[in-house]
Amino acid sequence: MRQHQSDDNVAGNRRQLDTFSTGISFLDDLLLGGHRRGHVYGLLGPTGVGKTTLGLQIAVAGAMLREQSGGDGVWAFVTLEQRPAELRGMIISNAARISRPKMEGLAKLAELNLSGVFDEYELKRADDLPNVSGRILSETERIQIVRSVFDDHLRIIDFSKGIPTMGCTSCVAAIGQKIHRQLRSGASLAGIVIDDVGLAVTQWLGRFPDPPSLSAALRQFVKESRDMLASQFNCPVWITHQLNGAANELAPGAYQHHSAAMDCRRFGEYLTGCLVLGQQDREQGLFLIHRTKLPGASSSHPGVIAQIDDDFAVVREATGYTMDPISQRFRQIDVPSFLVNPAARRQLQRMIAKRQSTSDHRSGKR
């Protein structure tokens, strides 16, 4: 006799099939394995804490996973404020492990170091850089390896000068239309990051003489992101948004919740998952990332202590720290590791090996 799976088992199996790694280990831990196709996730936090950096990191990590697996999916990063040139510098810094301060002062890529020439940051962070048979790759070599990531798997969708209507009746529809236009023929979307929702909605409402309330418009934006982007393109969508002013006054280790979203207490209503970045400790540069919403997840997760690695424009988990529950401040318990997450370096290393294997095969080597 054939046995039928229960509805719960079928739903659980479907959830597993739809879930895939973000490429960022601490995010996968918070999300119980990764993000899901067809769902919307929130990244909330105070001004300047690192939402844009983490959002771009998600897109870059996703693009690198597509390149590594040989897939054809594209990640779209939608910017409402930062210019594409600045974002490209952050992308190169992140993916190729080239100093962000150097990228910001670079006039042209031809100024990058060739083989055998290393800057001070490379000598200090040698363990974070990819190598071939023990030889650290130069900046020029590193950027050549990840160039296909930019060309084939990542698009910057620029709305820094405003969102044109393009004949659309909603802000999300206009964003979706421009994403679709910038995809190559036949290409599929692997994921979308929108930075940031507050700016998008404010710009869109500014053209109407009698707009709806900002709170209602923000909730509608999240709902349409689910229905018109995540579901239609069958990919995860990440959206960033500010916390309200009161959240900026809390201690760095204080628990923050998505109900403190700027101008919209019900911002999380249509989100599948939400991560909230807490206030940054000014002395140590540390902040707490809490998971505030995720179906089937325990509410007891202590969160992840993180900080921005300015060398490579990434948010990383800060090891060697704990949070004092009384003072709600961070305390060092051991000498912290200042290395970028080893998983990111291993991912780049695998891309090198794959590229070398392809090159050897084409040249007839065995």
Side-chain angles (χ1 to χ4, degrees), residues 60 64 88-100 103 109 112 121-122 128-130 136-147 149-150 311-312 314 344 348 351-352:
V60 171
M64 292 180 72
R88 289 190 190 99
M90 293 176 67
I91 290 169
I92 292 173
S93 177
N94 181 324
R97 296 291 181 260
I98 297 175
S99 167
R100 181 179 180 183
M103 290 304 307
L109 293 180
L112 293 172
Y121 83 89
E122 294 174 289
D128 295 326
L129 304 180
I136 297 175
L137 299 183
S138 70
E139 292 174 335
T140 302
E141 290 171 316
R142 299 201 298 273
I143 199 170
Q144 288 298 328
I145 288 168
V146 301
R147 185 177 295 277
V149 174
F150 317 142
D311 278 344
F312 301 134
V314 295
L348 186 53
M351 287 177 58
I352 294 170

Coordinates of all heavy atoms in Angstrom, one line a residue, residues 60 64 88-100 103 109 112 121-122 128-130 136-147 149-150 311-312 314 344 348 351-352:
V60 N 26.9 39.8 -3.4 CA 28.2 39.4 -3.9 C 28.4 37.9 -3.6 O 28.8 37.1 -4.5 CB 29.4 40.2 -3.3 CG1 30.7 39.6 -3.7 CG2 29.3 41.6 -3.8
M64 N 28.9 34.9 -6.3 CA 30.0 34.0 -6.3 C 29.6 32.6 -6.2 O 30.2 31.7 -6.8 CB 31.0 34.4 -5.2 CG 31.6 35.8 -5.4 SD 32.8 36.2 -4.0 CE 34.1 35.1 -4.4
R88 N 30.7 49.6 -7.0 CA 31.7 48.7 -7.7 C 33.0 48.6 -6.9 O 33.6 47.5 -6.9 CB 31.9 49.2 -9.1 CG 30.7 49.1 -10.0 CD 31.1 49.4 -11.5 NE 29.9 49.5 -12.3 CZ 29.3 50.6 -12.6 NH1 29.8 51.8 -12.3 NH2 28.2 50.6 -13.4
G89 N 33.4 49.7 -6.3 CA 34.6 49.6 -5.5 C 34.5 48.7 -4.3 O 35.4 47.9 -4.0
M90 N 33.3 48.7 -3.7 CA 33.0 47.8 -2.6 C 32.9 46.4 -3.0 O 33.4 45.5 -2.3 CB 31.7 48.3 -1.9 CG 31.8 49.6 -1.2 SD 30.1 50.1 -0.5 CE 29.9 48.9 0.8
I91 N 32.3 46.2 -4.2 CA 32.2 44.8 -4.7 C 33.6 44.2 -5.0 O 33.9 43.1 -4.6 CB 31.4 44.8 -6.0 CG1 29.9 45.1 -5.7 CG2 31.5 43.5 -6.8 CD1 29.1 45.4 -6.9
I92 N 34.5 45.0 -5.6 CA 35.8 44.5 -5.9 C 36.6 44.2 -4.6 O 37.2 43.2 -4.5 CB 36.6 45.5 -6.8 CG1 35.9 45.6 -8.2 CG2 38.0 45.1 -6.9 CD1 36.5 46.7 -9.1
S93 N 36.4 45.1 -3.7 CA 37.1 44.9 -2.4 C 36.6 43.7 -1.7 O 37.4 42.9 -1.2 CB 36.8 46.1 -1.5 OG 37.4 46.0 -0.2
N94 N 35.3 43.4 -1.8 CA 34.7 42.2 -1.1 C 35.1 41.0 -1.8 O 35.6 40.0 -1.2 CB 33.2 42.4 -1.1 CG 32.4 41.3 -0.5 OD1 32.8 40.1 -0.6 ND2 31.3 41.6 0.2
A95 N 34.9 40.9 -3.1 CA 35.1 39.7 -3.9 C 36.5 39.3 -4.1 O 36.9 38.2 -4.0 CB 34.3 39.8 -5.2
A96 N 37.4 40.3 -4.4 CA 38.8 40.1 -4.8 C 39.7 40.3 -3.6 O 40.9 40.1 -3.8 CB 39.2 41.0 -6.0
R97 N 39.2 40.7 -2.5 CA 40.0 40.9 -1.3 C 41.1 42.0 -1.6 O 42.3 41.8 -1.3 CB 40.6 39.6 -0.8 CG 39.6 38.6 -0.3 CD 39.0 39.1 1.0 NE 38.0 38.1 1.5 CZ 36.7 38.2 1.3 NH1 36.2 39.2 0.7 NH2 35.9 37.2 1.8
I98 N 40.6 43.1 -2.1 CA 41.5 44.3 -2.3 C 41.0 45.4 -1.4 O 39.8 45.6 -1.3 CB 41.4 44.7 -3.8 CG1 41.9 43.6 -4.7 CG2 42.2 46.0 -4.0 CD1 41.8 43.9 -6.2
S99 N 42.0 46.0 -0.8 CA 41.7 47.0 0.3 C 40.7 48.1 -0.2 O 40.8 48.7 -1.3 CB 43.0 47.7 0.7 OG 42.7 48.9 1.4
R100 N 39.6 48.2 0.6 CA 38.6 49.2 0.2 C 39.2 50.7 0.2 O 38.9 51.4 -0.8 CB 37.5 49.2 1.2 CG 36.3 50.2 0.9 CD 35.2 50.1 1.8 NE 34.2 51.0 1.5 CZ 33.0 51.2 2.2 NH1 32.8 50.5 3.2 NH2 32.1 52.1 1.8
M103 N 40.8 51.0 -3.1 CA 39.8 51.1 -4.2 C 39.2 52.5 -4.3 O 39.0 53.0 -5.4 CB 38.7 50.0 -4.0 CG 39.2 48.6 -4.2 SD 39.9 48.3 -5.9 CE 38.7 49.0 -7.0
L109 N 41.9 50.7 -12.8 CA 42.3 49.3 -12.4 C 43.8 49.0 -12.8 O 44.4 48.1 -12.1 CB 41.4 48.3 -12.9 CG 39.9 48.4 -12.4 CD1 39.1 47.3 -13.1 CD2 39.9 48.2 -10.9
L112 N 46.5 48.7 -10.1 CA 46.6 47.6 -9.1 C 47.9 46.9 -9.3 O 48.6 46.9 -10.3 CB 45.5 46.6 -9.3 CG 44.0 47.1 -9.0 CD1 43.0 46.1 -9.5 CD2 43.9 47.4 -7.5
Y121 N 48.7 46.2 3.5 CA 47.5 45.4 4.0 C 47.6 43.9 3.6 O 47.1 43.1 4.3 CB 46.2 46.1 3.4 CG 45.8 45.7 2.0 CD1 45.0 44.6 1.8 CD2 46.3 46.4 0.9 CE1 44.7 44.2 0.5 CE2 46.0 46.0 -0.4 CZ 45.2 44.9 -0.6 OH 44.8 44.6 -1.9
E122 N 48.2 43.7 2.4 CA 48.3 42.3 1.9 C 49.3 41.5 2.8 O 49.1 40.3 3.0 CB 48.8 42.3 0.5 CG 47.8 42.9 -0.5 CD 48.3 43.0 -1.9 OE1 49.2 43.8 -2.1 OE2 47.8 42.2 -2.8
D128 N 44.2 35.8 4.6 CA 42.8 36.0 4.1 C 42.8 36.0 2.5 O 41.8 36.0 1.9 CB 42.2 37.3 4.5 CG 42.0 37.4 6.0 OD1 41.7 36.3 6.6 OD2 42.2 38.4 6.6
L129 N 44.0 36.0 1.9 CA 44.1 36.2 0.5 C 44.3 34.8 -0.2 O 44.9 33.9 0.3 CB 45.3 37.1 0.1 CG 45.3 38.5 0.8 CD1 46.6 39.2 0.3 CD2 44.1 39.2 0.4
P130 N 43.7 34.7 -1.4 CA 43.8 33.4 -2.1 C 45.2 33.1 -2.6 O 45.9 34.1 -2.8 CB 42.8 33.6 -3.3 CG 42.7 35.0 -3.5 CD 42.9 35.6 -2.1
I136 N 50.8 33.8 -3.0 CA 49.7 34.7 -2.9 C 49.5 35.4 -4.2 O 50.4 35.9 -4.8 CB 49.9 35.8 -1.8 CG1 50.1 35.1 -0.4 CG2 48.8 36.8 -1.8 CD1 50.4 36.0 0.7
L137 N 48.2 35.4 -4.6 CA 47.9 36.1 -5.9 C 47.9 37.6 -5.8 O 47.5 38.2 -4.8 CB 46.5 35.6 -6.4 CG 46.3 34.1 -6.7 CD1 44.9 33.9 -7.2 CD2 47.4 33.6 -7.6
S138 N 48.4 38.2 -6.8 CA 48.5 39.7 -6.8 C 47.1 40.3 -7.0 O 46.1 39.6 -7.3 CB 49.3 40.2 -8.0 OG 48.7 39.9 -9.2
E139 N 47.0 41.6 -6.8 CA 45.7 42.3 -6.9 C 45.1 42.1 -8.3 O 43.9 41.8 -8.5 CB 45.8 43.8 -6.6 CG 46.1 44.0 -5.1 CD 46.4 45.5 -4.9 OE1 46.8 46.2 -5.8 OE2 46.2 46.0 -3.8
T140 N 46.0 42.2 -9.3 CA 45.6 42.1 -10.7 C 45.0 40.7 -11.0 O 44.0 40.5 -11.7 CB 46.7 42.4 -11.7 OG1 47.2 43.7 -11.4 CG2 46.3 42.3 -13.1
E141 N 45.7 39.7 -10.5 CA 45.3 38.3 -10.7 C 44.0 38.0 -9.9 O 43.1 37.3 -10.5 CB 46.4 37.3 -10.1 CG 47.6 37.3 -11.0 CD 48.8 36.5 -10.3 OE1 49.0 36.7 -9.1 OE2 49.4 35.7 -11.0
R142 N 43.8 38.6 -8.8 CA 42.6 38.4 -8.0 C 41.4 39.0 -8.7 O 40.3 38.4 -8.7 CB 42.7 38.9 -6.6 CG 43.8 38.3 -5.8 CD 43.7 38.5 -4.3 NE 43.7 39.8 -3.8 CZ 44.7 40.5 -3.4 NH1 45.9 40.0 -3.6 NH2 44.6 41.8 -3.0
I143 N 41.6 40.1 -9.3 CA 40.4 40.8 -9.9 C 40.1 40.1 -11.2 O 38.9 40.0 -11.6 CB 40.7 42.3 -10.1 CG1 39.4 43.0 -10.4 CG2 41.6 42.5 -11.3 CD1 39.5 44.5 -10.4
Q144 N 41.0 39.5 -11.9 CA 40.8 38.7 -13.1 C 39.9 37.5 -12.8 O 39.0 37.1 -13.6 CB 42.1 38.3 -13.8 CG 42.8 39.4 -14.5 CD 42.0 40.1 -15.6 OE1 41.2 39.4 -16.3 NE2 42.2 41.4 -15.8
I145 N 40.2 36.9 -11.6 CA 39.5 35.7 -11.2 C 38.0 36.0 -11.0 O 37.1 35.2 -11.4 CB 40.1 35.0 -10.0 CG1 41.5 34.4 -10.3 CG2 39.2 34.0 -9.4 CD1 42.3 34.0 -9.2
V146 N 37.7 37.1 -10.4 CA 36.3 37.4 -10.0 C 35.6 38.2 -11.1 O 34.4 38.6 -10.9 CB 36.2 38.1 -8.6 CG1 36.8 37.2 -7.6 CG2 36.9 39.5 -8.7
R147 N 36.3 38.6 -12.2 CA 35.7 39.4 -13.2 C 34.4 38.9 -13.7 O 33.4 39.6 -14.0 CB 36.7 39.7 -14.3 CG 36.1 40.7 -15.4 CD 37.2 41.0 -16.4 NE 38.3 41.6 -15.9 CZ 38.4 43.0 -15.7 NH1 37.3 43.7 -16.0 NH2 39.5 43.5 -15.2
V149 N 32.3 37.2 -12.2 CA 31.2 37.4 -11.2 C 30.5 38.7 -11.5 O 29.2 38.7 -11.6 CB 31.8 37.4 -9.8 CG1 30.7 37.8 -8.8 CG2 32.4 36.1 -9.4
F150 N 31.2 39.8 -11.8 CA 30.6 41.0 -12.1 C 29.9 41.0 -13.5 O 28.8 41.5 -13.6 CB 31.7 42.2 -12.2 CG 32.7 42.1 -11.1 CD1 34.0 42.4 -11.4 CD2 32.4 41.8 -9.8 CE1 35.0 42.4 -10.4 CE2 33.4 41.8 -8.8 CZ 34.7 42.1 -9.1
D311 N 38.7 46.8 5.7 CA 39.7 46.4 4.7 C 39.0 45.8 3.4 O 39.4 46.2 2.3 CB 40.7 45.3 5.2 CG 41.8 45.9 6.0 OD1 42.0 47.2 5.9 OD2 42.5 45.2 6.7
F312 N 38.0 45.0 3.7 CA 37.4 44.3 2.6 C 35.9 44.5 2.4 O 35.2 43.8 1.7 CB 37.6 42.8 2.7 CG 39.1 42.4 2.7 CD1 39.6 41.5 3.6 CD2 40.0 43.0 1.8 CE1 41.0 41.2 3.7 CE2 41.3 42.7 1.8 CZ 41.8 41.8 2.8
V314 N 33.2 44.2 4.3 CA 32.3 43.1 4.7 C 31.9 43.2 6.1 O 32.6 43.8 6.9 CB 32.9 41.7 4.4 CG1 33.1 41.4 3.0 CG2 34.2 41.5 5.2
A344 N 34.6 32.4 3.4 CA 34.7 33.3 2.2 C 36.0 33.1 1.4 O 36.0 33.1 0.2 CB 34.6 34.8 2.7
L348 N 36.5 31.6 -2.5 CA 37.3 32.2 -3.6 C 38.4 31.2 -4.1 O 38.7 31.1 -5.2 CB 37.9 33.5 -3.1 CG 38.7 34.3 -4.1 CD1 37.9 34.7 -5.3 CD2 39.2 35.6 -3.4
M351 N 36.9 28.9 -6.5 CA 36.8 29.5 -7.8 C 38.1 29.5 -8.6 O 38.1 29.2 -9.8 CB 36.3 30.9 -7.7 CG 34.8 31.1 -7.2 SD 34.3 32.8 -7.0 CE 34.7 33.5 -8.6
I352 N 39.2 29.7 -7.9 CA 40.5 29.7 -8.5 C 40.8 28.3 -9.1 O 41.2 28.1 -10.2 CB 41.6 30.0 -7.5 CG1 41.4 31.5 -7.1 CG2 43.0 29.8 -8.1 CD1 42.3 31.9 -5.9

